[in-house]
Amino acid sequence: MKCDKTDLRLYAITDRKWLRGKSMACMVEESLKGGATIIQLREKDLDYDTFLSEAKELAGLCRDYKVPFIVNDNVDIALKAGADGIHVGQKDMEAGAVRERIGRDMILGVSAQTVEQARAAEAAGADYLGVGAIFPTGSKDDADRVTKETLKAICEAVSIPVVAIGGITKDNIEELSGSGIAGISVISAIYAPEDVEDAAKKLREKVKEYIE
């Protein structure tokens, strides 16, 4: 599966702290019903077997909904789970090395905060970029801010789609209008509310209004 920019409209990233007693698959399915167009499984502390089992379950769920399924950081899990792709940060495995391991058919997403990083990621074989943090965020304590001017410059500097990430909510999406992004990537904006499906639906409507 290759990545189309329409797949990146509403990019949902998981976070276990919002499960509230539900299974990960249940929470993710609620976001898919609401309009999430791509799912990333982000697990930093799970043991290997549990991580792999969860990844396989979500891979199957995303296939049912015909949306791409991405694993964060762990190439081995992504390959064994049959994920559609992998996303790596600047401090993770180098993008070119990841591309060599996963081949040409899997999606490769790379985090970038500068035009130089964005161009290097594209040259290394990235299919899309995640750029941020655009707004203050509690999801990543070490997330440096990226100005909207830099976001726009990155979008103009590369030919692959760019997703904005970091502190984005339905109330500030409008500020990203005209930046050139293909979509938004969110964690708490979609999974923190009690009604995940409704949260996803409202975010999707805002993306249609201001981004598409």
Side-chain angles (χ1 to χ4, degrees), residues 26 65 82 95 107 122 179 183 199:
C26 177
Y65 278 84
I107 298 167
E122 182 177 29
S179 62

Side-chain angles (χ1 to χ4, degrees), residues 73-138:
D73 190 21
N74 196 312
V75 177
D76 189 56
I77 292 284
L79 289 168
K80 287 185 177 177
D84 298 301
I86 179 85
H87 187 97
V88 293
Q90 290 293 317
K91 296 176 182 176
D92 300 324
M93 189 174 174
E94 190 271 326
V98 176
R99 176 54 78 195
E100 284 186 21
R101 275 204 68 190
I102 67 175
R104 297 305 313 172
D105 294 333
M106 282 180 72
I107 298 167
L108 173 58
V110 179
S111 298
Q113 293 184 311
T114 66
V115 168
E116 291 73 26
Q117 289 177 353
R119 285 177 173 153
E122 182 177 29
D127 294 300
Y128 75 87
L129 300 173
V131 176
I134 304 301
F135 303 107
T137 174

Side-chain angles (χ1 to χ4, degrees), residues 144-164:
D144 294 325
R145 294 285 301 281
V146 173
T147 66
K148 280 166 251 182
E149 290 74 23
T150 298
L151 175 64
K152 188 172 183 181
I154 289 172
C155 290
E156 292 170 350
V158 297
S159 59
I160 54 176
V162 172
V163 180

Side-chain angles (χ1 to χ4, degrees), residues 22-209:
K22 293 182 285 193
S23 70
M24 182 64 76
C26 177
M27 186 177 78
V28 168
E29 185 163 22
E30 289 176 9
S31 67
L32 289 167
K33 286 178 178 177
T37 57
I38 185 169
I39 300 292
Q40 181 189 128
L41 176 61
R42 184 173 182 264
E43 293 286 6
K44 296 297 184 182
D45 303 309
L46 271 191
D47 66 88
Y48 185 89
D49 289 343
T50 307
F51 191 175
L52 179 58
S53 176
E54 192 171 80
K56 286 179 176 177
E57 185 177 17
L58 293 188
L61 178 64
C62 288
R63 272 194 298 274
D64 291 341
Y65 278 84
K66 296 179 171 57
V67 305
F69 171 63
I70 308 294
V71 171
N72 178 271
D73 190 21
N74 196 312
V75 177
D76 189 56
I77 292 284
L79 289 168
K80 287 185 177 177
D84 298 301
I86 179 85
H87 187 97
V88 293
Q90 290 293 317
K91 296 176 182 176
D92 300 324
M93 189 174 174
E94 190 271 326
V98 176
R99 176 54 78 195
E100 284 186 21
R101 275 204 68 190
I102 67 175
R104 297 305 313 172
D105 294 333
M106 282 180 72
I107 298 167
L108 173 58
V110 179
S111 298
Q113 293 184 311
T114 66
V115 168
E116 291 73 26
Q117 289 177 353
R119 285 177 173 153
E122 182 177 29
D127 294 300
Y128 75 87
L129 300 173
V131 176
I134 304 301
F135 303 107
T137 174
S139 298
K140 269 190 97 174
D141 297 333
D142 61 346
D144 294 325
R145 294 285 301 281
V146 173
T147 66
K148 280 166 251 182
E149 290 74 23
T150 298
L151 175 64
K152 188 172 183 181
I154 289 172
C155 290
E156 292 170 350
V158 297
S159 59
I160 54 176
V162 172
V163 180
I165 186 171
I168 299 169
T169 69
K170 63 181 175 57
D171 298 318
N172 60 23
I173 291 175
E174 184 178 2
E175 295 181 46
L176 301 176
S177 179
S179 62
I181 59 172
I184 60 165
S185 188
V186 292
I187 302 176
S188 59
I190 202 166
Y191 291 124
E194 285 286 340
D195 192 333
V196 172
E197 183 177 345
D198 182 65
K201 197 172 295 183
K202 287 175 178 171
L203 284 163
R204 189 73 185 87
E205 288 168 358
K206 290 289 187 178
V207 167
K208 284 179 180 176
E209 185 176 356

